[in-house]
Amino acid sequence: MSTSNFKVIIVGGGPVGLTAANALSHAGINFVLLESRPNIVIDAGSNLVILPMGLRLLGQIGLLDTFNAVSSALGQIQRFDHNGRDLGEVNFFVHHKEIHGIASRVVSRHALTQVLYDALPASAHAEMHANKKVRTITTTPSSATVHCTDGTSYTGTIVIGADGAHSLVRAQMRALALQSPSTSLDQINEDHPFLTTYRSLWIRFPTQADLQPGDAKETHGVGCAIQLFAGEETSVIGMYERLDEPTKDRLRFGPADEEAFIKRWGNLPLSRQLTVQDAYDSRVQAGLVSLEEGVVRNWSWERIVLVGDAAHKFTPSTGAGCNNGMVDVVALVNELSRVVSSQEAPEMDTIAGAFKAYQEKRFAAVVSGCEGASKATATATWKNKVFKFVDLHVISSHRVQKYLMHQAAPKVAATPALEFVEDGQMPEGKVPWVQSAVLPRAVKA
Ligand SMILES: Cc1cc2nc3c(=O)[nH]c(=O)nc-3n(C[C@H](O)[C@H](O)[C@H](O)COP(=O)(O)OP(=O)(O)OC[C@H]3O[C@@H](n4cnc5c(N)ncnc54)[C@H](O)[C@@H]3O)c2cc1C
């Protein structure tokens, strides 16, 4: 790592925190990563679809082959209604391959985080600590210190909050902003910035019966929709159920809620041979979670900045939450790299300017991604007659699918790439990736 005095403290070792560790390592910027769980890489959580925007980063940092070995390429999505009637196929992933030269892939959270962890050098591993639950953050004019529940503390130049939807870092940013006499109202984030309209039961189970790795299937209908992605060993389903009333409160669910959920929807079909109940009975893991949605207004305060689910939360219907978090990291580390290579000890104003530029580069794309995911969930759960009509008669048209993917293509091709790394292994499709100017890495002192 760098010998510069600039040091980043990453709070959270999920997929986005580990992406940040990789990007900072490539930029030659020192960091320490703190994760509250007992291990940084754990076998837990739903599988994730990684879209071309996320794959671009993996390609740039030379991880595509390793990633491909632990993930499965996705093809056509087959759709059914609650009674198993065919609703026609959706070719979004097929168009991704044609347009961007690369198919979206499904991976377990465990395999993704393992790939990101293993890619780091031993010197970086020495700076990554599990069992470190951050409790508070204090700042001075020249540093930020995070304090953990075990009494340890870590001081750095900035703090990156990659600690998920219920972010402690975001809460601390708010507390510090409220304490400051010069804060204006629009600099203070809401205490509960996300709205929950849906909950999701996800189930990971062995790939079995009529499922093949790479299969993608959806079940649509009033009140509940399901997405299924089959991997080599395990498949995952995410079920989306509308709540009676949207809420900003944090919801927690127990085993009784999970059982009641299965009682309501266990008979829904997943494929010609499998039902939800079959998947649940053979589950490797399952979890009932609330699906918060929203974009936090201010992503930074003084020396603290947010990335990933700490800054924005999407419903998983478009498989975009984690992908957008990875792209946040790219945009942020590009800004940090410029700051560190131009100044030995950047002033607070320079850091604030970098954080502002980062948010400006990402905000509109993230708001639009969040709205798109929300509409996709409303469409699949037939929220009203209009959404049902769109699902049955508009989205099912292959010409509409092709049009939508080609409309989105220029924005995907222009996804920010790391400016200090040559574009590596990326395959090209009909719409070439927009290259970033390659800048020098952070200057080492
Ligand atoms: C059912 C389901 C399916 C999904 N499918 C997809 C998909 O297909 N594609 C996609 O792009 N996204 C998907 N998502 C969204 C994706 O899971 C998130 O966007 C992603 O996990 C966000 O990563 P993150 O690192 O920002 O946060 P998290 O994954 O929440 O990780 C945060 C980490 O911070 C740690 N932490 C929290 N608090 C502290 C603290 N105080 N101190 C230290 N450490 C702390 C946590 O232990 C955790 O390891 C899905 C989500 C769900 C629920």
Side-chain angles (χ1 to χ4, degrees), residues 402-427:
K402 192 169 181 177
Y403 172 78
L404 289 175
M405 289 299 100
H406 278 82
Q407 281 288 103
K411 280 190 186 154
V412 176
T415 301
L418 293 171
E419 290 170 355
F420 43 86
V421 179
E422 296 273 0
D423 262 356
Q425 300 168 307
M426 252 353 243

mmCIF file of all heavy atoms in Angstrom, residues 402-427:
data_model
loop_
_atom_site.group_PDB
_atom_site.id
_atom_site.type_symbol
_atom_site.label_atom_id
_atom_site.label_comp_id
_atom_site.label_asym_id
_atom_site.label_seq_id
_atom_site.Cartn_x
_atom_site.Cartn_y
_atom_site.Cartn_z
ATOM 1 N N LYS A 402 -36.351 -5.200 -26.506
ATOM 2 C CA LYS A 402 -35.155 -4.817 -27.243
ATOM 3 C C LYS A 402 -34.988 -3.286 -27.216
ATOM 4 O O LYS A 402 -33.897 -2.764 -26.972
ATOM 5 C CB LYS A 402 -35.292 -5.309 -28.689
ATOM 6 C CG LYS A 402 -34.028 -5.234 -29.478
ATOM 7 C CD LYS A 402 -34.184 -5.987 -30.785
ATOM 8 C CE LYS A 402 -32.871 -5.919 -31.543
ATOM 9 N NZ LYS A 402 -32.886 -6.657 -32.772
ATOM 10 N N TYR A 403 -36.113 -2.598 -27.408
ATOM 11 C CA TYR A 403 -36.089 -1.130 -27.405
ATOM 12 C C TYR A 403 -35.583 -0.608 -26.047
ATOM 13 O O TYR A 403 -34.695 0.241 -25.986
ATOM 14 C CB TYR A 403 -37.505 -0.607 -27.701
ATOM 15 C CG TYR A 403 -37.634 0.889 -27.534
ATOM 16 C CD1 TYR A 403 -37.170 1.761 -28.520
ATOM 17 C CD2 TYR A 403 -38.205 1.429 -26.373
ATOM 18 C CE1 TYR A 403 -37.270 3.138 -28.356
ATOM 19 C CE2 TYR A 403 -38.310 2.795 -26.201
ATOM 20 C CZ TYR A 403 -37.842 3.646 -27.189
ATOM 21 O OH TYR A 403 -37.923 5.002 -27.012
ATOM 22 N N LEU A 404 -36.143 -1.156 -24.966
ATOM 23 C CA LEU A 404 -35.755 -0.681 -23.619
ATOM 24 C C LEU A 404 -34.258 -0.890 -23.375
ATOM 25 O O LEU A 404 -33.573 -0.008 -22.857
ATOM 26 C CB LEU A 404 -36.551 -1.420 -22.540
ATOM 27 C CG LEU A 404 -38.035 -1.074 -22.445
ATOM 28 C CD1 LEU A 404 -38.723 -1.972 -21.417
ATOM 29 C CD2 LEU A 404 -38.234 0.396 -22.056
ATOM 30 N N MET A 405 -33.762 -2.044 -23.761
ATOM 31 C CA MET A 405 -32.337 -2.345 -23.517
ATOM 32 C C MET A 405 -31.433 -1.457 -24.375
ATOM 33 O O MET A 405 -30.380 -1.011 -23.927
ATOM 34 C CB MET A 405 -32.047 -3.829 -23.783
ATOM 35 C CG MET A 405 -32.631 -4.776 -22.772
ATOM 36 S SD MET A 405 -32.022 -4.523 -21.071
ATOM 37 C CE MET A 405 -33.338 -3.611 -20.331
ATOM 38 N N HIS A 406 -31.860 -1.191 -25.619
ATOM 39 C CA HIS A 406 -31.042 -0.305 -26.464
ATOM 40 C C HIS A 406 -31.105 1.136 -25.972
ATOM 41 O O HIS A 406 -30.128 1.875 -26.082
ATOM 42 C CB HIS A 406 -31.456 -0.426 -27.937
ATOM 43 C CG HIS A 406 -30.825 -1.619 -28.596
ATOM 44 N ND1 HIS A 406 -31.346 -2.896 -28.473
ATOM 45 C CD2 HIS A 406 -29.681 -1.751 -29.317
ATOM 46 C CE1 HIS A 406 -30.560 -3.754 -29.110
ATOM 47 N NE2 HIS A 406 -29.546 -3.079 -29.630
ATOM 48 N N GLN A 407 -32.251 1.532 -25.418
ATOM 49 C CA GLN A 407 -32.375 2.883 -24.849
ATOM 50 C C GLN A 407 -31.403 3.058 -23.680
ATOM 51 O O GLN A 407 -30.790 4.101 -23.505
ATOM 52 C CB GLN A 407 -33.802 3.099 -24.305
ATOM 53 C CG GLN A 407 -34.824 3.416 -25.331
ATOM 54 C CD GLN A 407 -34.624 4.833 -25.854
ATOM 55 O OE1 GLN A 407 -34.095 5.008 -26.941
ATOM 56 N NE2 GLN A 407 -35.002 5.838 -25.078
ATOM 57 N N ALA A 408 -31.306 2.021 -22.849
ATOM 58 C CA ALA A 408 -30.457 2.103 -21.644
ATOM 59 C C ALA A 408 -28.977 1.936 -21.974
ATOM 60 O O ALA A 408 -28.106 2.328 -21.182
ATOM 61 C CB ALA A 408 -30.887 1.019 -20.642
ATOM 62 N N ALA A 409 -28.671 1.367 -23.159
ATOM 63 C CA ALA A 409 -27.286 0.955 -23.467
ATOM 64 C C ALA A 409 -26.248 2.076 -23.354
ATOM 65 O O ALA A 409 -25.187 1.865 -22.745
ATOM 66 C CB ALA A 409 -27.233 0.312 -24.847
ATOM 67 N N PRO A 410 -26.504 3.284 -23.921
ATOM 68 C CA PRO A 410 -25.453 4.305 -23.827
ATOM 69 C C PRO A 410 -25.085 4.649 -22.383
ATOM 70 O O PRO A 410 -23.921 4.881 -22.071
ATOM 71 C CB PRO A 410 -26.075 5.517 -24.543
ATOM 72 C CG PRO A 410 -27.148 4.953 -25.408
ATOM 73 C CD PRO A 410 -27.656 3.746 -24.705
ATOM 74 N N LYS A 411 -26.096 4.666 -21.502
ATOM 75 C CA LYS A 411 -25.806 4.988 -20.092
ATOM 76 C C LYS A 411 -24.990 3.869 -19.451
ATOM 77 O O LYS A 411 -24.053 4.118 -18.683
ATOM 78 C CB LYS A 411 -27.101 5.180 -19.312
ATOM 79 C CG LYS A 411 -27.700 6.550 -19.533
ATOM 80 C CD LYS A 411 -28.821 6.807 -18.571
ATOM 81 C CE LYS A 411 -29.496 8.125 -18.922
ATOM 82 N NZ LYS A 411 -30.860 8.199 -18.502
ATOM 83 N N VAL A 412 -25.343 2.626 -19.757
ATOM 84 C CA VAL A 412 -24.583 1.504 -19.179
ATOM 85 C C VAL A 412 -23.141 1.550 -19.693
ATOM 86 O O VAL A 412 -22.184 1.394 -18.920
ATOM 87 C CB VAL A 412 -25.248 0.144 -19.520
ATOM 88 C CG1 VAL A 412 -24.396 -1.017 -19.010
ATOM 89 C CG2 VAL A 412 -26.649 0.068 -18.941
ATOM 90 N N ALA A 413 -22.986 1.815 -21.007
ATOM 91 C CA ALA A 413 -21.632 1.843 -21.605
ATOM 92 C C ALA A 413 -20.785 2.967 -21.012
ATOM 93 O O ALA A 413 -19.562 2.896 -21.014
ATOM 94 C CB ALA A 413 -21.738 1.992 -23.105
ATOM 95 N N ALA A 414 -21.481 4.000 -20.504
ATOM 96 C CA ALA A 414 -20.741 5.137 -19.927
ATOM 97 C C ALA A 414 -20.605 5.018 -18.409
ATOM 98 O O ALA A 414 -20.210 5.977 -17.740
ATOM 99 C CB ALA A 414 -21.446 6.434 -20.284
ATOM 100 N N THR A 415 -20.926 3.837 -17.852
ATOM 101 C CA THR A 415 -20.744 3.616 -16.406
ATOM 102 C C THR A 415 -19.320 4.019 -16.027
ATOM 103 O O THR A 415 -18.371 3.615 -16.710
ATOM 104 C CB THR A 415 -20.908 2.102 -16.084
ATOM 105 O OG1 THR A 415 -22.198 1.698 -16.492
ATOM 106 C CG2 THR A 415 -20.749 1.841 -14.601
ATOM 107 N N PRO A 416 -19.145 4.807 -14.956
ATOM 108 C CA PRO A 416 -17.787 5.209 -14.600
ATOM 109 C C PRO A 416 -16.850 4.010 -14.441
ATOM 110 O O PRO A 416 -17.245 2.980 -13.897
ATOM 111 C CB PRO A 416 -17.950 5.921 -13.256
ATOM 112 C CG PRO A 416 -19.395 6.214 -13.114
ATOM 113 C CD PRO A 416 -20.148 5.287 -14.015
ATOM 114 N N ALA A 417 -15.645 4.162 -14.952
ATOM 115 C CA ALA A 417 -14.608 3.139 -14.764
ATOM 116 C C ALA A 417 -13.487 3.779 -13.956
ATOM 117 O O ALA A 417 -13.369 5.016 -13.917
ATOM 118 C CB ALA A 417 -14.092 2.685 -16.122
ATOM 119 N N LEU A 418 -12.670 2.961 -13.323
ATOM 120 C CA LEU A 418 -11.553 3.513 -12.548
ATOM 121 C C LEU A 418 -10.615 4.256 -13.500
ATOM 122 O O LEU A 418 -10.214 3.711 -14.533
ATOM 123 C CB LEU A 418 -10.802 2.397 -11.820
ATOM 124 C CG LEU A 418 -11.583 1.700 -10.703
ATOM 125 C CD1 LEU A 418 -10.828 0.471 -10.202
ATOM 126 C CD2 LEU A 418 -11.887 2.653 -9.549
ATOM 127 N N GLU A 419 -10.291 5.489 -13.146
ATOM 128 C CA GLU A 419 -9.504 6.323 -14.061
ATOM 129 C C GLU A 419 -8.008 6.036 -13.984
ATOM 130 O O GLU A 419 -7.250 6.536 -14.794
ATOM 131 C CB GLU A 419 -9.747 7.807 -13.743
ATOM 132 C CG GLU A 419 -11.146 8.257 -14.113
ATOM 133 C CD GLU A 419 -11.477 9.630 -13.579
ATOM 134 O OE1 GLU A 419 -10.654 10.209 -12.840
ATOM 135 O OE2 GLU A 419 -12.573 10.122 -13.895
ATOM 136 N N PHE A 420 -7.602 5.268 -12.979
ATOM 137 C CA PHE A 420 -6.172 5.038 -12.796
ATOM 138 C C PHE A 420 -5.793 3.591 -13.130
ATOM 139 O O PHE A 420 -4.713 3.132 -12.793
ATOM 140 C CB PHE A 420 -5.755 5.399 -11.361
ATOM 141 C CG PHE A 420 -6.741 4.889 -10.341
ATOM 142 C CD1 PHE A 420 -6.627 3.611 -9.849
ATOM 143 C CD2 PHE A 420 -7.806 5.679 -9.921
ATOM 144 C CE1 PHE A 420 -7.552 3.120 -8.960
ATOM 145 C CE2 PHE A 420 -8.742 5.195 -9.014
ATOM 146 C CZ PHE A 420 -8.611 3.917 -8.532
ATOM 147 N N VAL A 421 -6.742 2.862 -13.775
ATOM 148 C CA VAL A 421 -6.468 1.472 -14.167
ATOM 149 C C VAL A 421 -6.808 1.340 -15.649
ATOM 150 O O VAL A 421 -7.863 1.793 -16.079
ATOM 151 C CB VAL A 421 -7.365 0.493 -13.352
ATOM 152 C CG1 VAL A 421 -7.114 -0.946 -13.767
ATOM 153 C CG2 VAL A 421 -7.154 0.655 -11.869
ATOM 154 N N GLU A 422 -5.928 0.735 -16.432
ATOM 155 C CA GLU A 422 -6.211 0.485 -17.853
ATOM 156 C C GLU A 422 -7.414 -0.455 -17.928
ATOM 157 O O GLU A 422 -7.532 -1.367 -17.115
ATOM 158 C CB GLU A 422 -5.028 -0.246 -18.514
ATOM 159 C CG GLU A 422 -3.745 0.539 -18.547
ATOM 160 C CD GLU A 422 -3.652 1.440 -19.771
ATOM 161 O OE1 GLU A 422 -4.600 1.446 -20.579
ATOM 162 O OE2 GLU A 422 -2.638 2.136 -19.882
ATOM 163 N N ASP A 423 -8.308 -0.258 -18.939
ATOM 164 C CA ASP A 423 -9.412 -1.204 -19.108
ATOM 165 C C ASP A 423 -8.815 -2.564 -19.419
ATOM 166 O O ASP A 423 -8.001 -2.698 -20.329
ATOM 167 C CB ASP A 423 -10.356 -0.743 -20.217
ATOM 168 C CG ASP A 423 -11.562 -0.018 -19.624
ATOM 169 O OD1 ASP A 423 -11.667 0.030 -18.390
ATOM 170 O OD2 ASP A 423 -12.386 0.485 -20.392
ATOM 171 N N GLY A 424 -9.195 -3.572 -18.643
ATOM 172 C CA GLY A 424 -8.547 -4.882 -18.762
ATOM 173 C C GLY A 424 -9.274 -5.831 -19.683
ATOM 174 O O GLY A 424 -9.372 -5.625 -20.889
ATOM 175 N N GLN A 425 -9.880 -6.859 -19.038
ATOM 176 C CA GLN A 425 -10.400 -7.999 -19.784
ATOM 177 C C GLN A 425 -11.756 -7.788 -20.452
ATOM 178 O O GLN A 425 -12.349 -8.753 -20.867
ATOM 179 C CB GLN A 425 -10.638 -9.133 -18.780
ATOM 180 C CG GLN A 425 -9.443 -9.620 -18.015
ATOM 181 C CD GLN A 425 -9.914 -10.517 -16.881
ATOM 182 O OE1 GLN A 425 -10.758 -10.148 -16.071
ATOM 183 N NE2 GLN A 425 -9.370 -11.719 -16.811
ATOM 184 N N MET A 426 -12.311 -6.585 -20.499
ATOM 185 C CA MET A 426 -13.717 -6.431 -20.878
ATOM 186 C C MET A 426 -14.020 -6.815 -22.322
ATOM 187 O O MET A 426 -13.469 -6.225 -23.250
ATOM 188 C CB MET A 426 -14.111 -4.973 -20.689
ATOM 189 C CG MET A 426 -15.002 -4.668 -19.549
ATOM 190 S SD MET A 426 -15.672 -6.026 -18.638
ATOM 191 C CE MET A 426 -17.384 -5.783 -18.960
ATOM 192 N N PRO A 427 -14.935 -7.781 -22.537
ATOM 193 C CA PRO A 427 -15.371 -8.047 -23.903
ATOM 194 C C PRO A 427 -16.211 -6.866 -24.409
ATOM 195 O O PRO A 427 -16.735 -6.101 -23.601
ATOM 196 C CB PRO A 427 -16.253 -9.283 -23.762
ATOM 197 C CG PRO A 427 -16.280 -9.651 -22.339
ATOM 198 C CD PRO A 427 -15.608 -8.608 -21.540
#
